[in-house]
Amino acid sequence: MGPTAIDHRVRDPNRKRACHECDLLLDKGIAPPGDKLSCPRCGATIHRNPSHSVHYTAALSITGLVLFVPAVSLPLLHFSILALGAENTLFNGVHSLLGAGFVWLASLVLFCSVLAPLGKFLLLTFVSIGCHFRTLDGPVTGAVRWYQHLKDWGMLDVYLLGLLVALVKMEDLGKLVVEPGFYCFCALMVVSNLSMLAFDQQSIWNRMERRRRVALPAAEGGEVG
């Protein structure tokens, strides 16, 4: 089965879908626009179809890209004991792990806390803007697939949990000051989660399918003429 057949099957609103919790087979697998589809047996949410998903995703992903710069460049915490002090950023933590010889751990932290979130925002921005142009249907389809592989690797919440543990554990050892980068990082994590909730790939497929159906009669009319 080729990619065209797969895409057609995904876009079909009458395609049956099994509940991921209780395996109940539902007659329709796509929720109406602005609504959600819930399992009548266990109540689990099967599919969300938020209104204006593409526009919300574009706004949130661009906001994430703007917040990404101060979140990774500005200091997160400043810890000082007597006259000694040090500022901590995302890259400082990676550099410290590399200096200690933990190459694989430093690479994992760099990928999960910097590269994967940045890649997610870039892919969502490209998908939400590129889906408006027919010439980008192929690259947009590939970007959606890459996003599905990458979305679970962005672990900003895990890094934030580590920062909160540092705040609690190190507060009694010295003076710990929260820097502006920490607030930008928190905002970045919130925007990242909201963009994942707002993004609905079915909206992308539906938009591309509608454009294809409009262009097909026009092309056939041109050939007849």
Side-chain angles (χ1 to χ4, degrees):
M1 183 178 293
T4 304
I6 294 176
D7 290 345
H8 175 73
R9 185 180 61 181
V10 172
R11 295 188 191 109
D12 186 5
N14 295 320
R15 180 194 174 198
K16 293 186 177 182
R17 176 179 294 189
C19 175
H20 59 278
E21 294 290 343
C22 65
D23 293 331
L24 178 65
L25 190 62
L26 305 178
D27 291 334
K28 291 187 177 181
I30 304 300
D35 202 351
K36 67 178 182 178
L37 179 65
S38 300
C39 177
R41 176 189 291 172
C42 65
T45 300
I46 308 300
H47 176 250
R48 294 181 182 272
N49 192 359
S51 301
H52 309 294
S53 170
V54 175
H55 302 88
Y56 291 155
T57 302
L60 289 168
S61 57
I62 293 174
T63 303
L65 290 175
V66 173
L67 286 172
F68 192 85
V69 176
V72 300
S73 59
L74 294 178
L76 302 173
L77 301 173
H78 182 273
F79 181 73
S80 60
I81 300 178
L82 299 178
L84 302 177
E87 292 181 338
N88 176 263
T89 64
L90 282 173
F91 290 112
N92 283 346
V94 175
H95 184 267
S96 299
L97 290 173
L98 285 174
F102 299 104
V103 178
W104 287 106
L105 183 58
S107 302
L108 183 62
V109 172
L110 178 64
F111 179 75
C112 294
S113 60
V114 179
L115 299 181
L118 177 60
K120 284 167 52 178
F121 285 126
L122 289 174
L123 288 173
L124 287 180
T125 302
F126 175 74
V127 168
S128 56
I129 296 178
C131 68
H132 296 279
F133 304 96
R134 184 184 177 187
T135 55
L136 295 178
D137 283 356
V140 166
T141 301
V144 171
R145 292 171 179 167
W146 274 104
Y147 171 77
Q148 295 300 328
H149 293 299
L150 193 63
K151 67 177 183 179
D152 293 329
W153 284 96
M155 301 181 182
L156 295 176
D157 49 347
V158 177
Y159 197 93
L160 179 61
L161 181 61
L163 293 176
L164 294 177
V165 171
L167 282 172
V168 175
K169 295 294 184 180
M170 300 176 64
E171 187 176 7
D172 296 334
L173 301 178
K175 184 179 180 181
L176 192 62
V177 179
V178 178
E179 297 288 348
F182 180 83
Y183 301 106
C184 294
F185 187 84
C186 292
L188 180 66
M189 188 195 69
V190 173
V191 170
S192 177
N193 291 331
L194 289 177
S195 63
M196 291 179 64
L197 292 175
F199 177 67
D200 179 41
Q201 67 176 14
Q202 189 64 41
S203 300
I204 304 298
W205 305 142
N206 292 340
R207 181 180 292 270
M208 295 167 63
E209 181 68 17
R210 287 195 301 267
R211 186 168 55 243
R212 186 188 67 83
R213 290 176 178 176
V214 170
L216 188 59
E220 292 177 351
E223 292 177 359
V224 172

